[in-house]
Amino acid sequence: MIRSIFDQFVHGRRSYSDIRRQLNDAGSANHNGRPWTDGMIPTILANENYVGKTIYNRTSRRLGQKLVKNPDHTWVRGAAQIEPIVDPGIFARAQKLLAERRVEIPENEMLLRLRFTLRRRGKLNSHIINTTLGLNHVSSYVKHFGSLRKAYALIGYASPRDCDWIDTRELWGSEQARHAAELAEVLRNDLRLQPELVLDGIGLDVEGRRIVSFLIARRLARRGEDHAAQWKAYRRQISSGLLAVMRLDAENREIEDYVLLPASLKSGRYVWLSSSSLRRRRGAVYREKGALFGAIKATLAKSTRAAPTSSAPSKKRPKSGQPKAKGFGGRRSRCGDTKSLR
């Protein structure tokens, strides 16, 4: 996969977006098991470990201070004890191409080029910016101006996308964590489980196994009067346990209802919900949070119910109709004593 990235970049002259798209379409995950992003591609291309070198002193930290990146000229390079993956000649050509792309442009020039692209294309988005010759990558605009929306505002452009959703992500993230904490208390009291909140606060684990995750599904704008309502939720890389999805109302301001789904759905970064998809996935809809918690509790109780450890003793009598004698090697007489069979 690493060789393929270098080959596409050096010989195919593919963009970061093209390489990222090809990797994700092929189902190739990155080293964290997640989908690739545009910013990961130049990081791979500039990594000297792939030609058998190790680099030291890239970062440093003084006592009580934050970690800082050291200038390139202070790095210490040495031969690594690993076999090179990429041919040094191809790696050198990749570095030359990276240097040509890494042209420092003043911020006012970045905005001027962005304004010119808007005038020519009539709109702006991440795809247009990343594929337009002469424009910096989206990540550069985010780094310089804080976000794309702030860069848009500086050139007087308002995106037609629903950016209010971006502003409320933190709010809904805290709502996910609150639901998870409340459910954890219910499971402790009613099922005597010991659930633990995961690091991002959106789910619960029991003994290291994910049992439930909370997702936020925003409602999408209808394409027409005849189109059914549809919701979209980012599922991350969750593949086990239950998915408790909070569907928002038409304005994406309040929780409209809840949907309970198994996490073992078809792989993908998003969960799409509509009336037809709910029937297909056998999802259950609940109007109230209490009803959702009750359904989760019932599902977990059923799955964690202990199986009987031993079978009940058999009540079947001997064929002769007489009780068997106690002990080994004897039989009971009519008087109740035991006669030896020796």
Side-chain angles (χ1 to χ4, degrees):
M1 182 169 57
I2 298 299
R3 293 192 184 97
S4 173
I5 292 175
F6 276 88
D7 182 68
Q8 292 184 64
F9 183 71
V10 174
H11 298 121
R13 298 300 175 94
R14 305 282 295 276
S15 67
Y16 303 150
S17 298
D18 290 339
I19 298 174
R20 179 262 305 166
R21 190 178 301 109
Q22 188 275 331
L23 291 171
N24 289 335
D25 290 345
S28 301
N30 63 19
H31 61 286
N32 291 322
R34 298 179 179 179
W36 290 84
T37 63
D38 289 358
M40 295 177 182
I41 306 303
T43 302
I44 293 290
L45 294 170
N47 193 337
E48 297 186 30
N49 291 154
Y50 297 124
V51 288
K53 294 182 180 179
T54 52
I55 302 178
Y56 306 95
N57 199 41
R58 286 186 177 185
T59 60
S60 60
R61 186 202 304 268
R62 293 184 180 275
L63 184 63
Q65 297 184 8
K66 294 182 178 180
L67 186 72
V68 296
K69 292 183 178 180
N70 294 328
D72 295 6
H73 66 272
T74 64
W75 293 359
V76 179
R77 291 175 170 84
Q81 300 299 322
I82 55 177
E83 183 179 353
I85 298 176
V86 179
D87 180 78
I90 295 179
F91 185 84
R93 292 173 62 184
Q95 304 319 297
K96 183 179 179 181
L97 291 174
L98 285 173
E100 292 174 355
R101 293 192 178 194
R102 199 180 297 119
V103 178
E104 293 295 333
I105 301 176
E107 290 186 350
N108 58 345
E109 179 67 20
M110 292 174 64
L111 294 175
L112 183 64
R113 296 185 182 190
L114 196 63
R115 186 180 290 110
F116 176 77
T117 303
L118 172 62
R119 190 179 307 157
R120 187 164 57 90
R121 301 291 295 269
K123 64 178 182 179
L124 292 173
N125 54 44
S126 298
H127 177 72
I128 291 176
I129 294 173
N130 288 340
T131 56
T132 299
L133 189 64
L135 282 185
N136 292 65
H137 192 270
V138 165
S139 58
S140 295
Y141 283 96
V142 173
K143 181 179 179 180
H144 282 269
F145 303 104
S147 69
L148 267 185
R149 284 202 300 153
K150 291 181 179 179
Y152 290 166
L154 291 173
I155 63 172
Y157 175 65
S159 173
R161 292 187 59 189
D162 179 16
C163 295
D164 290 341
W165 167 252
I166 300 175
D167 295 332
T168 58
R169 280 181 181 175
E170 185 175 349
L171 167 67
W172 291 117
S174 62
E175 194 68 22
Q176 289 172 281
R178 186 174 68 84
H179 276 67
E182 291 180 5
L183 177 62
E185 189 66 22
V186 170
L187 298 180
R188 291 190 191 100
N189 295 334
D190 296 354
L191 298 184
R192 298 295 186 267
L193 295 177
Q194 297 300 321
E196 297 180 354
L197 282 170
V198 296
L199 291 178
D200 52 14
I202 70 164
L204 298 175
D205 286 357
V206 172
E207 297 180 352
R209 181 176 60 89
R210 180 66 58 89
I211 59 171
V212 63
S213 301
F214 286 91
L215 305 181
I216 297 291
R218 62 188 179 103
R219 189 164 179 170
L220 305 179
R222 290 196 178 188
R223 298 180 181 178
E225 293 295 332
D226 298 334
H227 286 78
Q230 192 173 36
W231 287 261
K232 178 182 178 182
Y234 180 48
R235 69 174 293 175
R236 309 190 184 189
Q237 297 298 316
I238 302 168
S239 59
S240 62
L242 299 171
L243 294 180
V245 185
M246 295 176 264
R247 296 198 301 186
L248 304 184
D249 60 11
E251 289 76 28
N252 289 317
R253 299 292 185 185
E254 302 288 340
I255 297 175
E256 182 172 296
D257 55 25
Y258 300 88
V259 174
L260 189 60
L261 296 167
S264 55
L265 301 173
K266 184 179 178 181
S267 61
R269 298 177 64 186
Y270 296 96
V271 176
W272 301 84
L273 298 174
S274 63
S275 55
S276 59
S277 66
L278 285 180
R279 288 192 299 268
R280 186 171 63 254
R281 294 170 175 171
R282 291 178 293 181
V285 180
Y286 303 93
R287 302 293 300 180
E288 303 293 337
K289 178 174 60 177
L292 171 72
F293 284 6
I296 294 174
K297 188 172 63 174
T299 302
L300 295 178
K302 183 178 179 180
S303 62
T304 58
R305 186 178 298 128
T309 56
S310 60
S311 58
S314 175
K315 297 182 179 180
K316 187 176 180 180
R317 295 178 63 85
K319 291 183 179 180
S320 61
Q322 298 292 336
K324 288 186 177 180
K326 294 182 179 180
F328 178 78
R331 65 182 180 182
R332 187 177 299 279
S333 68
R334 291 183 180 179
C335 299
D337 59 343
T338 302
K339 295 182 180 180
S340 175
L341 297 180
R342 295 179 182 176

